[in-house]
Amino acid sequence: MATTADFKNGMCIELNGKTYMLVEFQHVKPGKGPAFVRTKLKNLENGRTIDNTFTAGVNIDVVRVERRPYQYLYEDDLGCNFMHTETFEQIQISRDMIENSDLMREGQIVEVMFHTDKEIVLSAELPPIIEMEVTYTEPGVKGDTASTNSLKPATVDTGATIKVPLFITTGEKIRVDTRTREYYERVK
C-alpha cells in the first residue's frame, strides 16, 4: 500500500478494478478545507484519460509493472506479432493497445509494459524519436506563406501522414517524435 504522497508521473495504480498510469498530478492545499491531489490518469486497458481527485493521504493500490523490449514482426487478422529480443518468445498485441501504431515498421523495437502479477500486456510504446523516409509531399514554394513556421502534410514510409516544414522534399529522411507525431529534425 502507498499513499498520495508517493505519487510519481508514470506510476501505475489500480482504481475501481482497472489499471491506470499516472500522467500528471498536483497537490492542492486550499485555504479552507482538507488538502487533495488532482490527477490525470490513463486507463491502460483502453487508452482513455480521466481526471480524478484523491483526498491527501488516502491509501492507493500500486501495480507492479515491467517494461520488456520486443521486436515488431508482422501484423495479421489477430493483431500485431512481437518477439522478445532475448528469450525469442512471441506475443500478439491488439493494434489499439499501441499508441501511434501507424508509425511502427517491421523490425522496430518497442517497449511492452506487463502487469507483473497477472502477466498480461498493458500497453506498448514506440521509441520517443524514430527515423522515417518521406515517400510523398507537395513541393514547398518560397513565398507561399507569411509566417516562418509553416507546415505541410507528408506521407512517410509506413503510410502515416505527419506535418513537416516547407523545405522537406520527397525522399528525405527525417526524425519524428512518436509521442506528439511531430517533425523533429532532418537526418543529415
Side-chain angles (χ1 to χ4, degrees):
M1 280 289 185
T3 65
T4 55
D6 301 320
F7 276 168
K8 294 181 183 88
N9 287 342
M11 176 186 234
C12 292
I13 64 172
E14 195 160 312
L15 181 69
N16 300 331
K18 294 188 172 29
T19 307
Y20 291 92
M21 183 169 68
L22 195 62
V23 177
E24 62 184 49
F25 67 97
Q26 178 184 19
H27 186 80
V28 180
K29 176 78 173 96
K32 188 176 188 180
F36 59 92
V37 180
R38 269 194 206 111
T39 61
K40 189 172 283 194
L41 302 170
K42 179 181 179 184
N43 187 329
L44 293 177
E45 294 165 16
N46 59 23
R48 292 194 180 112
T49 304
I50 63 167
D51 294 321
N52 196 12
T53 303
F54 294 94
T55 306
V58 72
N59 287 337
I60 52 167
D61 294 324
V62 177
V63 175
R64 289 186 29 147
V65 295
E66 190 174 293
R67 295 174 182 268
R68 301 178 192 157
Y70 276 80
Q71 182 179 18
Y72 174 57
L73 299 175
Y74 61 92
E75 183 177 11
D76 57 15
D77 11 336
L78 300 174
C80 297
N81 293 281
F82 293 88
M83 178 181 66
H84 193 282
T85 57
E86 295 165 5
T87 64
F88 305 111
E89 155 199 25
Q90 291 190 18
I91 60 170
Q92 287 183 332
I93 301 175
S94 162
R95 192 171 263 284
D96 58 333
M97 293 180 80
I98 307 163
E99 200 166 329
N100 292 323
S101 61
D102 58 338
L103 296 176
M104 189 171 56
R105 71 164 59 95
E106 289 181 10
Q108 188 167 26
I109 304 295
V110 299
E111 252 186 10
V112 179
M113 191 184 314
F114 281 87
H115 190 295
T116 53
D117 298 335
K118 300 176 185 173
E119 268 308 306
I120 57 171
V121 174
L122 297 174
S123 69
E125 295 177 2
L126 277 74
I129 306 292
I130 57 173
E131 285 187 14
M132 309 197 92
E133 184 177 340
V134 176
T135 55
Y136 177 76
T137 186
E138 294 287 330
V141 180
K142 192 172 182 174
D144 260 359
T145 178
S147 68
T148 57
N149 57 355
S150 294
L151 301 173
K152 62 182 179 178
T155 305
V156 291
D157 52 358
T158 61
T161 303
I162 61 164
K163 298 280 189 182
V164 296
L166 293 176
F167 58 83
I168 298 296
T169 59
T170 301
E172 284 194 78
K173 290 197 180 277
I174 59 171
R175 289 193 176 97
V176 177
D177 187 333
T178 58
R179 298 162 294 198
T180 59
R181 297 182 62 90
E182 292 178 351
Y183 168 83
Y184 186 70
E185 69 181 353
R186 182 191 286 175
V187 177
K188 295 174 175 65

